[in-house]
Amino acid sequence: AQKVTQAQTEISVVEKEDVTLDCVYETRDTTYYLFWYKQPPSGELVFLIRRNSFDEQNEISGRYSWNFQKSTSSFNFTITASQVVDSAVYFCALSEARRGGGNKLTFGTGTQLKVEL
Amino acid sequence: DAGVIQSPRHEVTEMGQEVTLRCKPISGHNSLFWYRQTMMRGLELLIYFNNNVPIDDSGMPEDRFSAKMPNASFSTLKIQPSEPRDSAVYFCASSQGTEYGEKNEKLFFGSGTQLSVL
């Protein structure tokens, strides 16, 4: 069975600090996909990134960066120079590519990030 | 470009009443998902459809819950009779995924329906 663990329930930082959100996953499949979603206070879920299991290159998008390491089954998310608008709950998710699996996502429990002035 | 549209945004009902949540996926998407979010259990997949056919309903809590997708542009999630423990935010999401998940396109979520059962 697939599982996603986000051990950090809540993180508080001061604006401009860097912050890393951890994600560890479990799967028996060799082909799978990892995602990060953001849920701001307004409640909607916003897609941030998708990564497949064959692509271990780190990715950077503005102040956001992701570190995927298959050896440790981790897919961590770093926000550089955090801003108040980054305050949200961040979810890591896993999808297995097999018949009937479709792109059904298993979500972690989320990390509440609070960025204060 | 309209996103996933859910209605109503908020629903307050009394225990024992029937509740129907509605979802209109993004046009052209062929996979539709119903998720439930609670503090205790986080985001749980209830059921998903591919090409209007239910593929996996193993997450549906019990027989009180049912979901239908009569066509590519509409789905409903019904709870009958509702109970206080059904109180949660219910999300609908759609994507261009395939039954085999080859594309694993990202899910686009609706704004959710906040359900309160008193």
Side-chain angles (χ1 to χ4, degrees), chain B residues 32 34 46-49 54 57 60 65-70 75-78:
Chain B
L32 183 139
W34 283 100
L46 300 178
I47 185 171
Y48 83 96
F49 297 83
D57 65 355
M60 295 287 263
F65 285 70
S66 62
K68 294 182 180 179
M69 192 164 186
S75 177
T76 59
L77 177 67
K78 185 177 293 187

Side-chain angles (χ1 to χ4, degrees), chain A residues 37 39 95 100 103-105, chain B residues 33 35 45 48 56 95 104:
Chain A
Y37 278 83
Q39 187 174 39
S95 171
N103 47 4
K104 178 177 73 171
L105 297 183
Chain B
F33 303 76
Y35 279 86
L45 177 66
Y48 83 96
D56 183 350
S95 75
N104 269 276

Side-chain angles (χ1 to χ4, degrees), chain A residues 77-95:
Chain A
F77 173 31
T78 297
I79 301 175
T80 303
S82 59
Q83 300 176 2
V84 173
V85 294
D86 296 327
S87 297
V89 181
Y90 291 85
F91 290 94
C92 181
L94 167 70
S95 171

